Amino acid sequence: MSITGFDLSFRHLCSPCIPPRFDFSSQSRRKIEYGCSFTAIRPVFCSMSSSSTAVSDSDENHVSTSYSRRLMTFMITFLLPLPKLMQHSGANANATDDLALIQGEIRKVLSKSKAAGVLRLVFHDAGTYELDDASGGMNGSISFELDRPENKGLKKSLKILVEAKTIVDEKQPVSMADMIAVAGAEAVSLCGGPTIPVRLGRLDSMVPDPEGKLPEETLDAFGLKQSFQRKGFSTQELVALSGAHTLGSKGFGNPVVFDNAYYKVLLEKPWLSSAGMTSMVGLPSDRALVEDDECLRWISKYADDQDLFFEDFMNAYIKLVNSGAKWRRD
């Protein structure tokens, strides 16, 4: 094996027929500027001929000095990357610790009954993103937008996250965007959904996002698909993200259980029944999905396979909370 021109097998130091012999002289012990002591090994060279000859003192000193320099070069070249590796490892450890800290404080204030509101907070903060002008997105600007009609009822959800953020900030400052992104993932997990990894490092916006960027609840399937396409999401991702409505009081199964009941209920179309309150199931936009052939294919897949829904929701969620985010430079 050779690194920076140095043969680690030491075979170049001696005749192939005669094993190398090393003199571990105490005079050759040196210290290298890495806080550790290394011994510079001084080889006694063998003759390449069948009759061995003595090496002169001057030649030996020259070889020893040359060898020591080569060893020093090797050690420095080999060790230089270590500080970067250590820093990278330390950065990963810090990110893991920060995430654990945020998750711990969120879990103290989050309950299953509050999960739907917290998850809705994620959609309303990130859902303002537009590809064309790269505006909006996951940036914590929802803090400035709570008085908008589409954000009615979100003040309570934001309040519990502000409470958790206050505690986190005492140990490690965190953006509101990161708090919301992590909280949504925790809400899903708490209610039995998939565990969603969330990257940290988002920066908060200091101004509200433009108005009128969230998909309206009255849109038909064509309008929904167009709206999500402008945000960079496919029809499949639209249907997967819509499954978040399985939580809450929309009428899709157990309001505090994250499962694929949303899709099963959509296929049943209970709003067509004449039995009173069943007409209140879901939003107009939910009902519109099942009337579109492309959306219907994914609704049927998720109704049949909850694991597939969980996987696709996780991937779409990660994409959602990264949409439009501005990242801290470490």
Side-chain angles (χ1 to χ4, degrees):
M1 177 178 179
S2 176
I3 299 179
T4 65
F6 186 82
D7 189 348
L8 293 183
S9 68
F10 297 101
R11 285 178 295 184
H12 70 298
L13 300 178
C14 215
S15 168
C17 302
I18 304 174
R21 180 166 58 88
F22 300 97
D23 177 16
F24 293 87
S25 170
S26 60
Q27 294 179 353
S28 62
R29 193 175 300 276
R30 299 169 183 270
K31 286 188 176 181
I32 298 177
E33 292 296 326
Y34 278 88
C36 300
S37 295
F38 296 88
T39 300
I41 302 172
R42 181 164 59 90
V44 178
F45 283 80
C46 303
S47 171
M48 296 298 292
S49 65
S50 58
S51 59
S52 95
T53 57
V55 180
S56 68
D57 289 342
S58 60
D59 289 342
E60 183 180 357
N61 289 338
H62 173 74
V63 171
S64 178
T65 301
S66 175
Y67 175 79
S68 297
R69 286 175 178 170
R70 294 176 71 184
L71 180 61
M72 179 74 78
T73 300
F74 162 69
M75 294 304 298
I76 291 175
T77 303
F78 183 77
L79 290 172
L80 274 177
L82 288 181
K84 290 185 178 181
L85 290 174
M86 293 170 65
Q87 290 173 7
H88 182 68
S89 176
N92 288 340
N94 289 338
T96 301
D97 291 343
D98 291 346
L99 179 58
L101 172 63
I102 295 170
Q103 289 172 329
E105 293 305 322
I106 288 174
R107 289 166 187 169
K108 292 177 183 179
V109 298
L110 183 63
S111 64
K112 289 184 177 182
S113 62
K114 298 175 182 177
V118 168
L119 189 55
R120 180 170 169 246
L121 194 64
V122 175
F123 279 75
H124 283 233
D125 190 40
T128 57
Y129 179 63
E130 293 285 339
L131 275 173
D132 291 344
D133 57 5
S135 64
M138 196 73 216
N139 55 20
S141 67
I142 190 71
S143 301
F144 307 108
E145 301 158 8
L146 294 176
D147 291 333
R148 296 177 181 177
E150 63 268 28
N151 295 328
K152 183 179 180 181
L154 289 178
K155 289 183 179 180
K156 292 181 179 179
S157 299
L158 186 65
K159 183 179 179 180
I160 66 171
L161 296 190
V162 170
E163 180 182 338
K165 184 177 183 300
T166 301
I167 304 300
V168 173
D169 284 341
E170 293 176 356
K171 303 174 183 178
Q172 176 62 49
V174 62
S175 67
M176 181 55 71
D178 276 351
M179 286 294 297
I180 295 173
V182 175
E186 288 299 306
V188 170
S189 177
L190 177 64
C191 294
T195 299
I196 305 175
V198 176
R199 173 188 171 190
L200 299 181
R202 296 167 189 77
L203 297 174
D204 283 338
S205 173
M206 295 295 102
V207 296
D209 285 340
E211 295 189 50
K213 298 296 184 179
L214 290 178
E216 296 178 9
E217 297 178 354
T218 56
L219 288 176
D220 60 14
F222 178 76
L224 283 170
K225 289 195 287 187
Q226 281 193 321
S227 177
F228 273 71
Q229 284 174 359
R230 289 195 299 271
K231 302 175 188 304
F233 291 89
S234 66
T235 298
Q236 174 258 319
E237 290 168 327
L238 157 64
V239 177
L241 288 173
S242 296
H245 285 173
T246 195
L247 291 181
S249 57
K250 302 290 192 304
F252 297 104
N254 190 321
V256 294
V257 174
F258 192 95
D259 56 17
N260 65 341
Y262 172 81
Y263 304 104
K264 293 179 179 180
V265 173
L266 283 183
L267 292 177
E268 295 171 358
K269 299 183 179 181
W271 52 87
L272 298 180
S273 170
S274 59
M277 292 301 292
T278 56
S279 62
M280 302 300 293
V281 173
L283 301 171
S285 55
D286 292 316
R287 303 173 197 175
L289 292 178
V290 77
E291 302 301 330
D292 178 85
D293 289 341
E294 186 180 9
C295 294
L296 180 59
R297 286 198 299 272
W298 287 106
I299 291 171
S300 299
K301 285 179 181 291
Y302 296 149
D304 291 337
D305 191 340
Q306 180 168 280
D307 290 339
L308 177 63
F309 163 51
F310 278 11
E311 181 179 356
D312 286 354
F313 180 86
M314 176 186 69
N315 292 330
Y317 182 92
I318 293 171
K319 183 175 179 179
L320 177 68
V321 297
N322 291 346
S323 295
K326 303 296 187 294
W327 300 93
R328 181 180 67 238
R329 292 183 179 180
D330 293 324

